[in-house]
Amino acid sequence: DETTARRKDAHLDLCATGDVEPAQNSTLLEHVHLIHCAMPELAADEVDLTTPFLGKSLRAPLLVTGMTGGTERAGVVNRDLALLAERHGLAFGVGSQRAMAEDASRTASYAVRDVAPTVALLGNIGLYQAIGMGVDGVRRLADAIGADGMALHLNAGQELTQPEGDRDFRGGYRVVEELARAFGERLLVKETGCGIGPDVARRLVELGVRNVDVSGLGGTSWVRVEQLRAAGPQAQVGAEFSGWGIPTAAAIASVRAAVGPEVRLVASGGVRGGLECAKVLALGADLAGMALPLFRAQQQGGFAGAEEALKVILTALRQALVLTGSRNVAELRRRPRVVSGALKDWLAAL
Ligand code: FNR
């Protein structure tokens, strides 16, 4: 209905300009130190970043994680960033398709196949909306945009901070199991900035999930976004919880240790540059994921602005592999690294 779409545009306004990344939050990636190799013995052009994902081959291990759809403005964001992903061989996700499930006329704002015919494309729906629409409803959302896979998002922290949000989180695993059976390798389960830890990841994998985006703490905080929209007691609780979550570095390293190498892991949540991409890959991610930085670059400079930001990220990622003497991500993972400070404490507990 109208309110879903209006809420989406309010979210975009807040994310474009507001303080949605609380300064006290950290991914803890500052506690990961890759080690310099003074004699790399390789050429930058030799570094191989190709990565399989959703049955396709990416040219770089990067996912533009799902953000938006449902309004005209959202449609422009989707098309610019999908085109960017198509041109550079990244994966791309649309945002929650709830708005088009409620009103089919909004489908066009999620449709990117005309500008991104070959991109590895993810649809997106919230777990609790998926419960309502069932497997067939979710499949219809994926088919309507020609998606290669479907992202199922978890956002209990956001819902509890949203005055109109869900309060009952029972029955989630049962739905995940049904969706995993129906979608197989085409299902991805993601958080939205509070992180997936090893216990939840292990259970998801036991139910058949093969792609997980940990989406940890340290970047966009949806609790903060809802805090900024809320008033009164709700806003006060939101303020208290806007630093809640598992930092991205702790989430990705602990989840990789908990699940087998056949599980594709994405690390998003506060990943902001190519060196940080290299760090999450070294910690066990198959892909790095980013939302806010590319969204903001697009809002400020359109497609060209987003492309400029991406080029810096890709150059720095490649540079990190050269300077660690790594020809590819598999070699990067085998290099020694220093893990210091609070990240060590997190990993000792997880
Ligand atoms: C998001 N995110 C998101 N996730 C999701 O699964 N469905 C959605 O509809 C949205 N919407 C959305 C809008 C905007 C404007 C942003 C910035 C983000 C969450 C996103 O995919 C990602 O998990 C987190 O934002 C963490 O990554 P960053 O932003 O810190 O790079």
Side-chain angles (χ1 to χ4, degrees), residues 8 12 15 65-68 95-96 124 153 190-193 215 219-220 222 268-272 289-293 295:
K8 292 293 158 193
L12 289 190
C15 287
T65 64
M67 283 182 267
T68 200
S96 172
N124 189 298
H153 72 255
K190 74 188 289 287
E191 240 287 343
T192 46
S215 189
T220 310
W222 283 91
S268 74
V271 176
R272 293 294 174 262
M290 280 189 214
L292 193 71
F295 168 66

Side-chain angles (χ1 to χ4, degrees), residues 124-179:
N124 189 298
I125 194 71
L127 172 60
Y128 294 91
Q129 277 88 58
I131 293 179
M133 63 182 66
V135 168
D136 287 340
V138 176
R139 193 182 280 121
R140 272 195 295 276
L141 291 179
D143 291 347
I145 62 166
D148 298 294
M150 198 67 194
L152 185 69
H153 72 255
L154 316 177
N155 66 340
Q158 178 186 13
E159 293 289 343
L160 286 169
T161 314
Q162 200 171 291
E164 67 273 34
D166 286 320
R167 295 288 181 273
D168 180 353
F169 303 106
R170 293 173 295 184
Y173 283 115
R174 195 175 40 73
V175 179
V176 167
E177 186 171 17
E178 283 171 25
L179 288 171

Side-chain angles (χ1 to χ4, degrees), residues 40-84:
E41 283 291 338
L42 52 89
D45 288 346
E46 271 185 291
V47 170
D48 178 11
L49 294 175
T50 56
T51 303
F53 189 56
L54 301 174
K56 292 185 167 166
S57 178
L58 308 184
R59 296 213 304 278
L62 252 185
L63 167 65
V64 181
T65 64
M67 283 182 267
T68 200
T71 66
E72 210 165 300
R73 175 181 179 194
V76 175
V77 175
N78 276 335
R79 297 170 71 79
D80 277 354
L81 295 181
L83 177 63
L84 183 72

Side-chain angles (χ1 to χ4, degrees), residues 5-336:
R6 212 165 331 118
R7 186 167 64 232
K8 292 293 158 193
D9 267 351
H11 284 157
L12 289 190
D13 279 333
L14 284 167
C15 287
T17 57
D19 167 30
V20 297
E21 299 182 279
Q24 74 272 17
N25 293 351
S26 169
T27 59
L28 298 183
L29 285 170
E30 71 276 18
H31 289 299
V32 180
H33 311 272
L34 304 179
I35 297 172
H36 177 60
C37 171
M39 298 269 291
E41 283 291 338
L42 52 89
D45 288 346
E46 271 185 291
V47 170
D48 178 11
L49 294 175
T50 56
T51 303
F53 189 56
L54 301 174
K56 292 185 167 166
S57 178
L58 308 184
R59 296 213 304 278
L62 252 185
L63 167 65
V64 181
T65 64
M67 283 182 267
T68 200
T71 66
E72 210 165 300
R73 175 181 179 194
V76 175
V77 175
N78 276 335
R79 297 170 71 79
D80 277 354
L81 295 181
L83 177 63
L84 183 72
E86 174 80 23
R87 290 247 176 105
H88 294 270
L90 322 177
F92 173 78
V94 298
S96 172
Q97 292 174 264
R98 181 180 186 172
M100 69 176 260
E102 291 171 353
D103 176 358
S105 75
R106 298 189 192 280
T107 304
S109 61
Y110 298 88
V112 296
R113 276 297 181 213
D114 55 332
V115 293
T118 69
V119 80
L121 177 64
L122 275 170
N124 189 298
I125 194 71
L127 172 60
Y128 294 91
Q129 277 88 58
I131 293 179
M133 63 182 66
V135 168
D136 287 340
V138 176
R139 193 182 280 121
R140 272 195 295 276
L141 291 179
D143 291 347
I145 62 166
D148 298 294
M150 198 67 194
L152 185 69
H153 72 255
L154 316 177
N155 66 340
Q158 178 186 13
E159 293 289 343
L160 286 169
T161 314
Q162 200 171 291
E164 67 273 34
D166 286 320
R167 295 288 181 273
D168 180 353
F169 303 106
R170 293 173 295 184
Y173 283 115
R174 195 175 40 73
V175 179
V176 167
E177 186 171 17
E178 283 171 25
L179 288 171
R181 203 173 298 132
F183 282 84
E185 311 249 314
R186 293 173 3 109
L187 180 71
L188 176 143
V189 177
K190 74 188 289 287
E191 240 287 343
T192 46
C194 290
I196 291 176
D199 291 345
V200 169
R202 216 178 277 119
R203 249 185 111 175
L204 293 173
V205 168
E206 278 165 16
L207 295 178
V209 174
R210 287 295 169 267
N211 303 279
V212 175
D213 179 350
V214 297
S215 189
L217 181 73
T220 310
S221 164
W222 283 91
V223 177
R224 171 57 61 86
V225 173
E226 298 301 346
Q227 176 204 332
L228 296 173
R229 286 178 63 237
Q234 197 75 44
Q236 288 173 345
V237 176
E240 209 172 329
F241 278 83
S242 63
W244 179 264
I246 307 170
T248 298
I252 194 65
S254 62
V255 169
R256 178 49 83 198
V259 304
E262 76 285 2
V263 181
R264 305 252 91 201
L265 293 183
V266 183
S268 74
V271 176
R272 293 294 174 262
L275 176 53
E276 291 192 336
C277 290
K279 289 180 179 184
V280 296
L281 295 168
L283 291 177
D286 297 293
L287 284 84
M290 280 189 214
L292 193 71
L294 293 170
F295 168 66
R296 284 204 168 150
Q298 186 277 341
Q299 290 291 288
Q300 282 155 25
F303 173 82
E307 187 169 50
E308 211 168 294
L310 177 67
K311 281 181 176 164
V312 175
I313 291 162
L314 291 174
T315 303
L317 170 58
R318 197 168 280 277
Q319 181 158 328
L321 270 86
V322 173
L323 291 180
T324 52
S326 315
R327 209 168 295 276
N328 52 47
V329 172
E331 286 188 13
L332 174 67
R333 279 206 197 141
R334 289 198 294 270
R335 300 279 174 259

